[in-house]
Amino acid sequence: MERIAVFTSGGDAPGMNACIRAVVRTASKLDITVLGVRKGYTGLCNDDIIPMERRSVSNIIQQGGTILETSRSADFLTKEGRARAITVMKKHAIDGLVAIGGDGTFRGAQALLKECNVPVIGCPGTIDNDLYGTDTTIGYDTAVNTALDAIDRIRDTATAMERLFIIEVMGRHVGFIALQVAIAGGAEWVLLPETVSDHEAFYRRFEQGLEAGRRTNIVVVAEGDETGGAEKVADSLEKLYGIQSRVTVLGHIQRGGSPTARDRVLASKLGAAAVLALREGKSGVMIGEIGGEVVFTPFDDVITKRKPLNPFELELMNRLS
Ligand code: F6P
């Protein structure tokens, strides 16, 4: 292994820079040359490739976003696009790839592996935490803490004016962020794609709360919930029960900002492990961390298997709200 390339792809996540840094520094110490592919698969198709060395990753461990930039590449989904990427990889004599991203990134890597024999290792980077094969993904902890900070602020104004707030957090298909911040933010109700949302049950609880003297209500909605998001939930509560509320959609605020210590350490571990795995001849696997141990999961499993929410945390949410 002499020349590897690293790239970030799909939605950016805080900690991706720490992961890039770990890849570059681990490889440099092993005398492996590192190239950075800009804008994910788009850069691989278009030959947007830069040299990297120890100093190119100085002072980035604390930065959100990704210095290599990212994209969701339509081009790479086509055979022609991938053929161009393979030509670019040959031109640069790339003999290993580290792909940092989510399920779309690993679908792309899987397709590439069927068409060329350059080994690829994946590192899980997405705030959604929706990847099988790792307890948490790079960026998830930061996103949870960013959303929680916003919810704490909303609770101040909600309490001051005795209001019901419906807060939408990210999570296209899963409710990991929603469940964590609902527990940590003391929410009264959480709506998750993984469970069926019962408006009637919430209404009864809301009424009982009012009778018991509760004046502040926080509802957390995952964007992928079957209700269609916070605005729709607010409309339904008003139409069905005449309940007035205020809506806040946190959106991309959750994707930015300086990564937490947890995300920086996770990203550093997985980035370093990716280089060592390439050197050992591994390919077609995502590196994750389960119970503190570094583990490898085939892209096929990462893409097809679903990581469930923690049932104890679901029960805890019900118990405490
Ligand atoms: O995959 C991470 C994520 O932030 C999701 O939570 C969200 O639905 C999506 O990306 C937003 O994507 P985009 O920035 O392309 O609109």
Side-chain angles (χ1 to χ4, degrees):
M1 181 107 345
E2 284 170 21
R3 283 164 78 79
I4 65 169
V6 57
F7 63 93
T8 50
S9 162
D12 49 277
M16 280 184 162
N17 281 328
C19 193
I20 297 168
R21 173 180 179 270
V23 169
V24 172
R25 297 232 161 142
T26 305
S28 300
K29 282 231 163 109
L30 296 167
D31 290 325
I32 299 171
T33 303
V34 190
L35 303 171
V37 182
R38 297 181 66 249
K39 302 184 199 307
Y41 287 118
T42 305
L44 207 54
C45 296
N46 297 342
D47 198 0
D48 192 354
I49 290 180
I50 53 170
M52 300 193 88
E53 41 87 30
R54 285 188 62 77
R55 295 270 72 84
S56 11
V57 290
S58 298
N59 301 321
I60 65 164
I61 196 166
Q62 80 288 5
Q63 283 174 21
T66 154
I67 59 160
L68 289 175
E69 301 181 29
T70 184
S71 67
R72 301 191 196 277
S73 169
D75 210 6
F76 198 75
L77 297 176
T78 66
K79 208 167 163 58
E80 297 71 38
R82 289 195 296 277
R84 290 211 322 274
I86 291 166
T87 310
V88 170
M89 283 161 62
K90 277 194 191 132
K91 174 182 153 192
H92 290 277
I94 292 168
D95 50 18
L97 275 179
V98 178
I100 308 167
D103 57 344
T105 305
F106 305 138
R107 261 190 212 102
Q110 190 70 320
L112 185 69
L113 279 170
K114 294 203 173 103
E115 291 157 18
C116 85
N117 56 7
V118 173
V120 187
I121 297 286
C123 290
T126 164
I127 65 162
D128 285 357
N129 195 30
D130 58 346
L131 292 176
Y132 179 87
T134 189
D135 286 340
T136 59
T137 53
I138 298 164
Y140 169 61
D141 186 61
T142 308
V144 165
N145 282 291
T146 303
L148 183 61
D149 178 60
I151 290 172
D152 288 347
R153 286 163 195 265
I154 290 170
R155 187 176 278 283
D156 289 346
T157 170
T159 307
M161 297 192 74
E162 297 192 352
R163 274 175 171 161
L164 162 64
F165 266 86
I166 320 271
I167 303 166
E168 183 177 305
V169 298
M170 275 188 166
R172 240 182 320 193
H173 309 295
V174 293
F176 287 98
I177 296 177
L179 182 58
Q180 289 299 291
V181 298
I183 294 172
E188 274 63 49
W189 193 30
V190 63
L191 289 87
L192 307 163
E194 291 88 342
T195 59
V196 178
S197 308
D198 183 348
H199 286 60
E200 176 64 30
F202 171 68
Y203 174 62
R204 283 200 302 274
R205 195 184 302 169
F206 179 77
E207 288 286 286
Q208 281 163 6
L210 284 184
E211 276 164 29
R214 183 198 286 155
R215 294 286 174 265
T216 310
N217 281 277
I218 301 282
V219 169
V220 176
V221 186
E223 68 172 323
D225 183 68
E226 78 279 1
T227 49
E231 291 285 358
K232 297 239 168 76
V233 175
D235 284 351
S236 303
L237 291 179
E238 178 148 26
K239 276 197 198 104
L240 291 170
Y241 312 109
I243 305 177
Q244 298 273 320
S245 61
R246 293 288 187 273
V247 169
T248 303
V249 177
L250 295 182
H252 288 76
I253 285 172
Q254 296 156 95
R255 283 240 299 256
S258 181
T260 58
R262 259 182 104 137
D263 271 332
R264 296 182 201 191
V265 173
L266 177 69
S268 302
K269 271 189 197 171
L270 301 185
V275 175
L276 299 179
L278 276 177
R279 220 169 62 124
E280 282 166 18
K282 290 197 169 60
S283 178
V285 292
M286 182 195 83
I287 299 201
E289 189 185 50
I290 297 182
E293 299 290 320
V294 168
V295 294
F296 302 93
T297 307
F299 287 148
D300 262 344
D301 288 348
V302 177
I303 293 161
T304 56
K305 293 190 176 165
R306 204 177 160 88
K307 181 163 71 179
L309 292 173
N310 181 328
F312 177 76
E313 289 179 357
L314 279 170
E315 206 187 303
L316 182 68
M317 179 62 210
N318 278 331
R319 206 187 293 282
L320 301 185
S321 59

